[in-house]
Amino acid sequence: MRLASGFAGDDVVAENPLVRKLRAYSDLDSDDMARLEELCVNVHCIEPRCDIIGDGQRPEHNNLMLEGWGARYKDLPDGERQIVGFLIPGDFCDLHVTLLGKMDHGICALTRCRVAYVPDQLLTRITSSSATLARAFWRSTLVDEAILRSWVINNGQRDAVEAVAHLFCEMHLRMTNVGLVRDHQFTVPVTQQDLGDALGMSMVHTNRALQNLRAESLIQFAKKELTILDLDRLRQRARFDPSYLHLRRE
Amino acid sequence: MRLASGFAGDDVVAENPLVRKLRAYSDLDSDDMARLEELCVNVHCIEPRCDIIGDGQRPEHNNLMLEGWGARYKDLPDGERQIVGFLIPGDFCDLHVTLLGKMDHGICALTRCRVAYVPDQLLTRITSSSATLARAFWRSTLVDEAILRSWVINNGQRDAVEAVAHLFCEMHLRMTNVGLVRDHQFTVPVTQQDLGDALGMSMVHTNRALQNLRAESLIQFAKKELTILDLDRLRQRARFDPSYLHLRRE
DNA sequence: CGTTCCCTTGACACCGATCAACTCTGGTGG
DNA sequence: CCACCAGAGTTGATCGGTGTCAAGGGAACG
């Protein structure tokens, strides 16, 4: 299977993104991988700027992102929107949220997305048939939590330029992890408004932080394509420590 | 069993805090509750300002807070500290983090704490013997994640006064949930420095935000005791919506 | 070829950081 | 009993980062 993302250059890249992602945390045998493929049969397309699942809804299945980017968001009473997470291929939107009942935030598509609807029973069947996979899912939720902690730090302790740089470093690793980075370049299909909503700053100031990073020759960012010109210096600028992502390489 | 916290007024309050907490999410039968009690046998005392588990350590057991307050924190290269979570009785410090290997943040005691060391095998044995408990643990980790999202919003979109008010509303509900609130009053054993570290603001400004809330007759806060004078107005001021905590009442 | 969305730039106001000094409290020891 | 001290809280003055407002530019698209 070859994804339409335009990055499918070799077999590894063309793999199922969920498989790619989980292999970063655990060794999977071919049975495990086959089981993961099973999860991705019921695939739907979502148009950009449409909700994959809205705030307050009760999901009937788990949404698994196969292609495209999404954003977790929360709309506030005063009309502001905070983005609390970006979703890329291989990410579950709402793993086990059926346990909680209602969603306490929404998830919307930033691009046209391909999303697999995974029934709860299928998920429980698969995790109970493979302890490895059960652990791999656990690990991925723990990493999601670690990412959230790093976002709290981002909004709390870093200035504008550091915050943008840090987010780019994080997305660079996560995208690499699912094989979507080529020559230090990858798609970041967000507007500067979205970036600001994620980092808790205004669009104007986000723009100036980006210009700052460009002026220092650390990145290029145009037409939703991000190129990292000097990874080491970018990470220094962001005070980025990749350990919270718990990837086996790095 | 009667906790030494000084709040043990009736039998319900005197219950194991873990039992109290999980009953907010799920119906537990007496077997389940007995199993939870089993988790709390190996209890240790931690002195204030000591690490319960340090950044980078590999935990050999799960730490369960039985009494006292703790803080998740991350020290940054420049000497700043960001607190990314408060731990109160009934909270697991590092549930399943053994799956990830190293801790990516530290947890320190804010007061003298009583902490149960729960071996991994015991935890897995108990969750596999009761589907209800397995689900209850899942739910509590999902709520932890929801709390983190609200902290991102706190640091991103709210001004100083709102942020403090929101944190107090959250702690009020969480403390109520484990029976540690009496007459709208409960212990919040943090310094204004700690508060600032949690909210991403300076101690001086935290102080001014507190004075603001006091001037509006919304709270009293002295000697680590917080009294909520007008819950409705405090929640309005904080734009607090309790649904993210997914408690069955509220 | 005009509309729309997104990016960019400048001016200005303000929130919150920083620095510094002072108070208050509780604890310790003479 | 008092002197001293350390930690926490409080206050005022000043500075800088960021938000806000407003206007203009550029690219994609029908």
Side-chain angles (χ1 to χ4, degrees):
Chain A
M1 153 187 156
R2 186 168 269 249
L3 296 180
S5 60
F7 290 103
D10 54 54
D11 289 342
V12 179
V13 172
E15 257 182 12
N16 182 313
L18 179 61
V19 174
R20 290 250 353 178
K21 178 181 170 183
L22 295 187
R23 287 179 75 181
Y25 308 130
S26 321
D27 285 313
L28 305 180
D29 60 32
S30 53
D31 277 1
D32 290 329
M33 292 194 255
R35 276 187 270 251
L36 289 180
E37 294 280 0
E38 269 184 69
L39 292 176
C40 309
V41 289
N42 188 7
V43 178
H44 295 244
C45 262
I46 315 280
E47 292 303 307
R49 300 288 151 183
C50 288
D51 269 355
I52 293 171
I53 181 164
D55 194 0
Q57 274 186 256
R58 296 177 177 278
E60 288 132 22
H61 43 70
N62 299 282
N63 296 296
L64 169 59
M65 184 72 75
L66 291 177
E67 202 180 325
W69 277 47
R72 291 181 196 284
Y73 70 92
K74 182 80 185 175
D75 283 325
L76 293 166
D78 62 354
E80 295 294 307
R81 152 175 300 201
Q82 172 78 41
I83 289 177
V84 288
F86 288 117
L87 296 160
I88 64 173
D91 290 341
F92 272 102
C93 300
D94 37 25
L95 191 63
H96 286 120
V97 85
T98 40
L99 284 178
L100 283 180
K102 286 195 307 186
M103 290 285 290
D104 55 34
H105 62 281
I107 295 175
C108 82
L110 293 172
T111 62
R112 178 186 299 249
C113 293
R114 290 179 57 245
V115 175
Y117 292 179
V118 183
D120 242 11
Q121 315 94 286
L122 181 52
L123 204 57
T124 36
R125 189 159 62 70
I126 278 174
T127 51
S128 57
S129 73
S130 162
T132 314
L133 286 184
R135 254 183 287 122
F137 283 127
W138 257 113
R139 292 181 74 129
S140 85
T141 65
L142 289 173
V143 170
D144 288 348
E145 229 184 277
I147 290 173
L148 270 172
R149 278 191 294 270
S150 89
W151 279 45
V152 172
I153 298 170
N154 231 14
N155 285 354
Q157 303 285 5
R158 291 187 238 270
D159 69 24
V161 179
E162 284 172 354
V164 173
H166 198 277
L167 180 59
F168 283 166
C169 289
E170 175 189 314
M171 297 317 299
H172 173 251
L173 268 191
R174 289 173 61 192
M175 291 289 278
T176 300
N177 194 34
V178 286
L180 295 177
V181 175
R182 282 259 145 160
D183 301 325
H184 299 141
Q185 181 177 346
F186 56 104
T187 305
V188 179
V190 303
T191 65
Q192 296 184 7
Q193 179 69 60
D194 294 330
L195 264 186
D197 286 348
L199 299 170
M201 49 200 247
S202 69
M203 197 203 61
V204 171
H205 208 65
T206 307
N207 179 292
R208 290 179 170 132
L210 283 170
Q211 287 178 50
N212 198 314
L213 291 175
R214 282 193 278 247
E216 294 184 43
S217 303
L218 295 174
I219 60 161
Q220 279 173 358
F221 183 43
K223 315 210 179 180
K224 320 285 191 202
E225 286 293 316
L226 176 65
T227 308
I228 295 183
L229 300 175
D230 189 332
L231 183 57
D232 287 342
R233 272 175 55 231
L234 184 65
R235 287 186 172 180
Q236 250 179 285
R237 193 78 178 75
R239 294 188 289 166
F240 179 78
D241 172 2
S243 61
Y244 72 98
L245 291 169
H246 294 276
L247 302 171
R248 288 196 289 182
R249 34 193 171 176
E250 286 284 338
Chain B
M1 153 187 157
R2 186 167 269 249
L3 296 180
S5 59
F7 290 104
D10 56 54
D11 288 343
V12 179
V13 172
E15 256 182 12
N16 182 314
L18 179 60
V19 173
R20 288 248 0 174
K21 178 180 169 182
L22 295 187
R23 286 179 76 181
Y25 308 129
S26 320
D27 285 313
L28 305 181
D29 61 33
S30 53
D31 277 1
D32 290 329
M33 293 193 254
R35 275 186 272 251
L36 290 180
E37 295 279 0
E38 268 184 72
L39 293 176
C40 309
V41 288
N42 189 6
V43 177
H44 294 244
C45 259
I46 315 280
E47 291 304 306
R49 300 286 151 186
C50 288
D51 269 356
I52 294 172
I53 181 164
D55 194 0
Q57 274 187 256
R58 297 177 177 276
E60 288 130 24
H61 43 71
N62 298 282
N63 296 297
L64 169 60
M65 183 73 74
L66 291 178
E67 202 180 324
W69 277 48
R72 289 181 198 284
Y73 69 92
K74 182 80 186 174
D75 283 325
L76 293 166
D78 62 355
E80 295 294 307
R81 151 174 300 200
Q82 173 78 41
I83 289 177
V84 288
F86 288 117
L87 296 160
I88 64 172
D91 289 342
F92 271 102
C93 300
D94 38 24
L95 191 63
H96 286 120
V97 85
T98 40
L99 285 178
L100 283 180
K102 288 195 307 185
M103 290 286 290
D104 56 33
H105 63 280
I107 295 176
C108 82
L110 293 173
T111 63
R112 179 187 298 249
C113 292
R114 290 177 59 243
V115 174
Y117 292 179
V118 184
D120 243 12
Q121 316 93 287
L122 181 54
L123 204 58
T124 36
R125 188 161 62 72
I126 278 174
T127 51
S128 57
S129 73
S130 163
T132 313
L133 286 185
R135 255 184 286 122
F137 283 127
W138 257 115
R139 293 182 75 130
S140 85
T141 66
L142 290 173
V143 170
D144 288 347
E145 229 184 276
I147 290 173
L148 270 172
R149 279 192 293 270
S150 89
W151 280 46
V152 172
I153 297 170
N154 231 14
N155 285 353
Q157 303 285 3
R158 292 187 238 270
D159 69 24
V161 179
E162 284 172 354
V164 174
H166 198 277
L167 180 60
F168 283 166
C169 289
E170 176 191 313
M171 296 318 299
H172 173 251
L173 267 191
R174 289 173 61 193
M175 289 290 277
T176 300
N177 194 35
V178 286
L180 295 176
V181 176
R182 280 260 147 159
D183 301 325
H184 298 138
Q185 180 177 346
F186 55 106
T187 305
V188 179
V190 304
T191 65
Q192 295 184 6
Q193 180 69 59
D194 294 331
L195 265 185
D197 286 349
L199 300 170
M201 50 200 247
S202 70
M203 197 204 62
V204 172
H205 208 65
T206 307
N207 180 292
R208 290 176 171 135
L210 283 171
Q211 288 178 49
N212 198 315
L213 291 175
R214 283 194 276 246
E216 293 184 42
S217 301
L218 296 173
I219 61 161
Q220 279 174 357
F221 183 43
K223 316 210 179 181
K224 319 286 192 201
E225 286 294 314
L226 176 64
T227 309
I228 294 183
L229 299 175
D230 189 333
L231 183 58
D232 287 343
R233 273 176 54 232
L234 185 65
R235 287 187 172 179
Q236 250 178 284
R237 193 77 177 76
R239 295 187 287 166
F240 180 77
D241 172 3
S243 61
Y244 72 98
L245 291 169
H246 295 276
L247 302 171
R248 289 195 289 183
R249 37 196 167 169
E250 286 285 337

